Amino acid sequence: FDVPDQAIPDFIRKYPSGTSTKPRTRLIHASEHPIIPAHMCHHLIQSAIRTTDRIGWTKDRHLQAPTCDVPVFDLDDGTCSWVRDSLNSVLFPLLSQLIAPELEISPDEWRVQDCFIVRYDGPSDQEGSTNPGFPSLRPHEDESLLSLTIALNDFDSDYDDGGLYVPSIQEVLNGPAGTVLCFAGGLTHGGFPVKRGTRWILTIFLYV
């Protein structure tokens, strides 16, 4: 997806241009097919639930835009290792390919600033029942060079509405479990309200 020129974050404009002379408006990328298998999406959700049953959800790690989340480094060792290996072997090479030639970043240059699982909860269907997650996330900018959201469950079947809202293109973006959305962190974005069920995503902030 291309964004209007006036929406391009300053640090994207100032990033070393390398050999490319193309305008840096192609700042949002969405995978057409899952990059994480369905069974691992389910495993990540269950690992997050087991962990938060023990230590609780965090809601104050991101003061600018609070989310109900659990850091991946708090999950069990096996899950942490799988996420780390997947970043290095699958995600980083894919990202470097997607953002070229506007940004020339090799896979081994990526560094993880933060990595966490978020839940967005719609209104409870049962009287007296409360869900820990927020239904939405107000528009804001991240401090990352690139931000990623990977869907861990399916919209329509698991939840209604929700998704990545990008004001500059007036779009709400979403995909089935395992698909990834990649965008410039400084691009204003938010979480569109979930009306039913729980939307689960893996969020990753990257820098070089």
Side-chain angles (χ1 to χ4, degrees), residues 6-106:
Q6 64 271 21
I8 300 174
D10 286 342
F11 63 81
I12 292 291
R13 295 182 189 276
K14 297 174 182 176
Y15 195 84
S17 60
T19 59
S20 176
T21 58
K22 290 189 175 183
R24 292 175 171 176
T25 57
R26 205 169 55 103
L27 298 180
I28 306 171
H29 302 272
S31 66
E32 294 182 357
H33 306 288
I35 64 166
I36 293 181
H39 74 277
M40 282 310 302
C41 291
H42 178 74
H43 174 83
L44 288 169
I45 293 173
Q46 294 305 309
S47 180
I49 291 173
R50 289 193 302 270
T51 300
T52 53
D53 282 346
R54 178 172 50 87
I55 66 173
W57 293 94
T58 66
K59 297 184 179 182
D60 56 1
R61 294 194 315 115
H62 310 105
L63 297 180
Q64 181 182 223
T67 54
C68 179
D69 63 62
V70 58
V72 165
F73 61 72
D74 281 341
L75 305 182
D76 60 274
D77 291 344
T79 301
C80 288
S81 295
W82 183 87
V83 171
R84 183 168 52 250
D85 292 345
S86 297
L87 289 174
N88 289 320
S89 63
V90 178
L91 202 56
F92 291 168
L94 175 64
L95 289 180
S96 293
Q97 188 177 38
L98 284 176
I99 64 174
E102 289 90 343
L103 296 175
E104 296 180 0
I105 300 173
S106 64

Side-chain angles (χ1 to χ4, degrees), residues 147-151 164 179-183 199 201-204:
S147 294
L148 312 176
T149 63
I150 301 176
L164 179 74
T179 56
V180 60
L181 292 169
C182 164
F183 54 95
R199 175 185 176 226
I201 60 172
L202 174 64
T203 298
I204 307 168

Side-chain angles (χ1 to χ4, degrees), residues 30-31 151 153-156 159 161-164 172-176 179 181 199 201:
S31 66
N153 63 336
D154 293 320
F155 60 90
D156 292 342
Y159 62 92
D161 290 347
L164 179 74
V172 177
L173 308 175
N174 207 348
T179 56
L181 292 169
R199 175 185 176 226
I201 60 172

